[in-house]
Amino acid sequence: MMGLSYHGYDTLKKVGGGGVYDVPDGVDIRGRYCEEFSKILTKDALHFVADLQREFRNRIKYAMECRKEARMRYNEGALPSFDPATKYVRDGDWICASVPPAVADRKVEITGPVERKMIINALNSGAKVFMADFEDALSPNWENLMRGQVNLRDAVEGTISFHDKARNRVYKLNDQTAKLFVRPRGWHLPEAHILIDGEPATGCLVDFGLYFYHNYANFRRTQGAGFGPFFYLPKMEHSREAKIWNCVFERAEKMAGIERGSIRATVLIETLPAVFQMDEILYELRDHSVGLNCGRWDYIFSYVKTFQGHPDRLLPDRFQVGMGQHFMRSYSDLLIRTCHRRGVHAMGGMAAQIPIRDDPKANEAALNFVKTDKLREVRAGHDGTWAAHPGLIPAIMETFVNNMENTPNQIQTMKREDAANMTEEDLLQIPRGVRTMEGLRLNTRVGIQYLAAWLTGTGSVPLYNLMEDAATAEISRVQNWQWLKYGVLLNGDGLGIRVNQELFGRVVEEEMARIEKEVGAERFKRGMYKEACKIFTRQCTAPTLDDFLTLDAYNHIVLHHPKGSSKL
Ligand SMILES: CC(=O)SCCNC(=O)CCNC(=O)[C@H](O)C(C)(C)COP(=O)(O)OP(=O)(O)OC[C@H]1O[C@@H](n2cnc3c(N)ncnc32)[C@H](O)[C@@H]1OP(=O)(O)O
Ligand SMILES: O=CC(=O)O
Ligand SMILES: [Mg+2]
């Protein structure tokens, strides 16, 4: 039977590539057809996603409106703060459901995009947990998303393999693997290739829904010892958003006929407003929580975004905004105190350093930086932390093991009551440091190269010996925007130059020439550097700050089938 429109017909929908997706009433697939994808995009799985979308779309829209409204208040001069209306939650004596034994020990967690070889490498890496990422580390084009689902299904089944033909190497899972967590996209991102009742689906409901539907049974049997699946939840700004996730989880548990509280999630505290909502977020998810994580890179991005209307809160060069800054330390300390008081893990964040193969001295310095950062985390009371690369795992594991008393975590032993009186001033203190021309140049060079990679399907890249992903690139973008908006003085290099449009135009030109030289003329021509430069420059110079780099850029990676049908 040929496909009709998505309205009112329970029918087969024909799309590019000659195949057909069997879709339920009201669902339209605009992504490329592929037989492998059709095993993910089954009618029943799509039915589940559509049910979630229909049940929660209005609440999601409302939550996004609330974000806008809060931003307007911050733009008018208000500061984020603890909410007096939920003091009873912060003061209350409740705790979260107890931690599932399968994930009691989370000393080192590796993260990475849902790419086939990386999934196998990460699961085999010796880390306790692998967070498979549909978010900061992934460019969410149709192929990546759908292949990611196929890869995760095979990983959970234990059948995943990969043949690297160039190296004639076959990758398979070891007997012992890391426990899998999955990070869906944030609430704000649409999935333009799946329309439900004529509207793009909510990206995270697609990521969550398809993964949950196909994997919950296998996962609980093989990985979760009766619990799971496990998730990481990104970029929330308020506990009302956590409440929606909690309802989504309950809805999924009901559909699957599994016990309430089976699904568990760690929430990234990576927006400035959310640091004032940590108790409230845990409270909403108290039956489904396994802790919070310091998503430090998005947190820095969010500091600039929240204070976009506050010229007295300008950031110094990006690399000076580390965990030594008072506001960052305060955030980590309060997160540990909050989690341990509620009986769940307080996870540390990502050090951006990665191994440097061709320079032993620089490599040693990078490794020492990571070790110092991780030592600070474990001594502060974190129960585990993130690694961006398998090469860092032994050193990080050793740091955590040697500094914890033979226990899987520090939930009972590091209560951090000293952080109980953390104030709003502590959490908001203006970061110290200077701004330099090199800072502006590096932001520009990194931002454009990251975006060029993202547009061509790669969401995490090594640049100048550091891991760059959507969160780190955001810092480069918003920092440039902030410096331009307020015409800041570059006060750290003795040049006494003010940032303005003309200077920025020159910097962009010169940095593009440098990028071309560094990557080579051929790769530069083949890549999407010019398009990336256009998008990045527009965003840095826009009169109003765009909410997300990837939201504006998303239109450029939407590819509707049959070709030529409209974009978002
Ligand atoms: C702010 C945040 O949200 S942080 C979380 C999101 N970001 C991430 O997850 C970034 C994860 N890291 C990465 O993507 C990568 O490490 C990069 C892009 C930074 C560097 O990647 P590469 O340049 O390919 O690293 P490199 O060449 O050293 O890789 C060596 C091997 O390690 C593997 N590897 C590297 N990083 C990872 C990882 N995170 N997970 C699994 N395997 C990995 C590579 O696949 C490669 O395997 P192979 O030898 O079998 O071919
Ligand atoms: O997601 C993690 C972050 O640091 O951002
Ligand atoms: Mg993040």
Side-chain angles (χ1 to χ4, degrees):
M1 183 169 53
M2 270 297 293
L4 301 169
S5 82
Y6 42 79
H7 290 298
Y9 295 91
D10 201 348
T11 182
L12 296 177
K13 174 77 188 155
K14 195 171 190 333
V15 292
V20 289
Y21 288 115
D22 186 5
V23 295
D25 208 12
V27 176
D28 190 19
I29 305 287
R30 296 286 181 89
R32 184 180 76 85
Y33 179 82
C34 165
E35 207 176 317
E36 268 297 280
F37 299 173
S38 73
K39 292 177 189 144
I40 296 296
L41 297 164
T42 60
K43 193 167 178 179
D44 287 345
L46 287 169
H47 214 288
F48 176 54
V49 172
D51 279 354
L52 293 177
Q53 180 73 21
R54 289 177 182 133
E55 188 164 339
F56 296 106
R57 61 189 163 203
N58 289 339
R59 286 172 69 179
I60 297 168
K61 276 181 195 154
Y62 174 70
M64 297 304 98
E65 282 306 309
C66 291
R67 281 190 187 178
K68 272 193 204 150
E69 197 248 330
R71 195 163 51 256
M72 265 160 55
R73 277 188 281 113
Y74 303 141
N75 285 350
E76 283 158 12
L79 302 177
S81 58
F82 294 108
D83 184 352
T86 47
K87 187 170 184 306
Y88 73 98
V89 175
R90 294 192 296 281
D91 291 349
D93 250 349
W94 52 274
I95 55 168
C96 294
S98 54
V99 172
V103 284
D105 187 341
R106 301 170 64 183
K107 288 189 190 79
V108 183
E109 301 189 334
I110 189 164
T111 70
V114 285
E115 196 245 305
R116 201 162 180 89
K117 183 180 80 173
M118 280 176 99
I119 289 177
I120 303 173
N121 279 340
L123 287 168
N124 288 343
S125 67
K128 300 286 181 187
V129 165
F130 165 46
M131 187 201 73
D133 203 6
F134 284 99
E135 215 246 340
D136 285 336
L138 192 83
S139 168
N141 66 35
W142 181 246
E143 304 295 315
N144 283 348
L145 292 167
M146 289 304 118
R147 284 192 200 293
Q149 292 283 352
V150 171
N151 296 340
L152 290 180
R153 181 205 56 200
D154 295 351
V156 174
E157 275 179 8
T159 56
I160 191 168
S161 67
F162 175 76
H163 185 194
D164 183 339
K165 290 193 185 104
R167 290 148 87 189
N168 196 22
R169 184 172 163 196
V170 176
Y171 292 73
K172 285 194 169 145
L173 291 180
N174 295 342
D175 292 339
Q176 277 256 315
T177 56
K179 292 282 183 296
L180 182 65
F181 278 57
V182 170
R183 178 162 72 169
R185 283 168 279 181
W187 285 123
H188 59 285
L189 286 171
E191 178 43 63
H193 301 91
I194 300 183
L195 304 183
I196 296 175
D197 303 331
E199 278 186 5
T202 305
C204 60
L205 294 183
V206 172
D207 303 338
F208 167 82
L210 294 176
Y211 171 73
F212 179 84
Y213 189 86
H214 290 292
N215 298 292
Y216 73 85
N218 274 339
F219 185 94
R220 289 158 57 74
R221 200 168 34 80
T222 59
Q223 288 239 340
F227 283 91
F230 303 133
F231 295 91
Y232 256 103
L233 303 177
K235 292 189 177 51
M236 286 198 260
E237 298 193 5
H238 194 276
S239 57
R240 76 172 65 83
E241 301 172 25
K243 189 171 184 161
I244 306 177
W245 270 119
N246 196 62
C247 294
V248 169
F249 292 165
E250 286 178 353
R251 180 76 185 68
E253 287 164 345
K254 205 164 149 204
M255 180 280 295
I258 59 178
E259 212 174 303
R260 192 162 166 273
S262 294
I263 300 174
R264 294 302 178 96
T266 298
V267 172
L268 287 134
I269 297 301
E270 54 181 354
T271 67
L272 194 61
V275 84
F276 299 97
Q277 290 269 315
M278 293 195 291
D279 274 308
E280 290 85 339
I281 287 170
L282 285 179
Y283 186 74
E284 293 299 349
L285 280 159
R286 61 194 177 281
D287 295 328
H288 291 108
S289 176
V290 266
L292 304 176
N293 169 298
C294 277
R296 60 171 83 161
W297 300 104
D298 267 311
Y299 193 73
I300 297 168
F301 156 48
S302 177
Y303 188 94
V304 179
K305 188 153 96 172
T306 306
F307 289 133
Q308 61 186 276
H310 297 233
D312 55 330
R313 288 178 181 273
L314 302 171
L315 241 58
D317 278 3
R318 185 183 132 174
F319 291 110
Q320 294 176 34
V321 192
M323 296 308 293
Q325 294 278 359
H326 185 82
F327 83 111
M328 295 296 280
R329 212 170 41 241
S330 305
Y331 140 68
S332 150
D333 288 348
L334 185 59
L335 183 143
I336 295 165
R337 194 256 172 184
T338 307
C339 288
H340 290 182
R341 184 163 169 235
R342 306 307 181 185
V344 287
H345 290 83
M347 301 304 297
M350 183 65 92
Q353 284 69 22
I354 48 177
I356 306 169
R357 270 195 227 103
D358 52 1
D359 185 343
K361 240 179 149 177
N363 188 50
E364 197 185 330
L367 195 62
N368 284 338
F369 186 98
V370 174
K371 282 188 199 163
T372 307
D373 181 55
K374 301 305 168 188
L375 188 61
R376 174 196 56 76
E377 286 186 330
V378 67
R379 286 188 176 156
H382 279 296
D383 301 291
T385 191
W386 277 11
H389 191 288
L392 299 168
I393 292 176
I396 300 178
M397 188 68 87
E398 188 183 307
T399 307
F400 266 76
V401 169
N402 289 349
N403 289 277
M404 278 168 62
E405 285 170 14
N406 212 11
T407 51
N409 55 62
Q410 313 196 82
I411 297 172
Q412 299 306 332
T413 51
M414 289 288 273
K415 291 296 184 187
R416 292 302 309 264
E417 283 308 328
D418 57 308
N421 297 322
M422 193 72 71
T423 62
E424 289 163 357
E425 289 71 33
D426 288 320
L427 293 162
L428 298 179
Q429 196 192 78
I430 301 170
R432 287 159 214 254
V434 294
R435 294 174 288 275
T436 67
M437 189 69 177
E438 186 42 34
L440 180 69
R441 286 190 179 283
L442 194 61
N443 279 343
T444 307
R445 208 154 65 235
V446 165
I448 292 172
Q449 288 185 86
Y450 176 75
L451 199 48
W454 192 91
L455 290 171
T456 46
T458 303
S460 57
V461 284
L463 284 175
Y464 308 109
N465 299 326
L466 295 175
M467 180 278 298
E468 296 286 344
D469 67 6
T472 60
E474 282 286 26
I475 304 172
S476 293
R477 171 182 75 100
V478 294
Q479 183 162 65
N480 275 10
W481 180 89
Q482 183 189 53
W483 291 2
L484 270 157
K485 165 101 178 162
Y486 296 111
V488 303
L489 186 70
L490 299 176
N491 55 357
D493 43 21
L495 301 174
I497 294 175
R498 261 187 200 286
V499 179
N500 59 27
Q501 300 268 352
E502 194 202 333
L503 175 78
F504 182 58
R506 231 174 36 236
V507 164
V508 168
E509 222 172 89
E510 288 168 13
E511 293 311 312
M512 279 293 275
R514 179 162 167 186
I515 293 169
E516 182 171 8
K517 206 163 149 211
E518 284 177 0
V519 305
E522 195 46 43
R523 200 173 131 202
F524 189 81
K525 213 162 78 197
R526 272 190 287 111
M528 291 194 71
Y529 295 95
K530 288 191 178 143
E531 292 82 349
C533 179
K534 210 164 144 192
I535 297 170
F536 185 76
T537 307
R538 190 202 64 71
Q539 292 209 351
C540 291
T541 54
T544 314
L545 183 64
D546 280 16
D547 274 353
F548 292 98
L549 173 68
T550 51
L551 197 52
D552 174 47
Y554 181 58
N555 242 344
H556 296 257
I557 61 169
V558 171
L559 198 58
H560 276 173
H561 283 257
K563 288 212 174 80
S565 50
S566 67
K567 289 188 176 180
L568 262 187

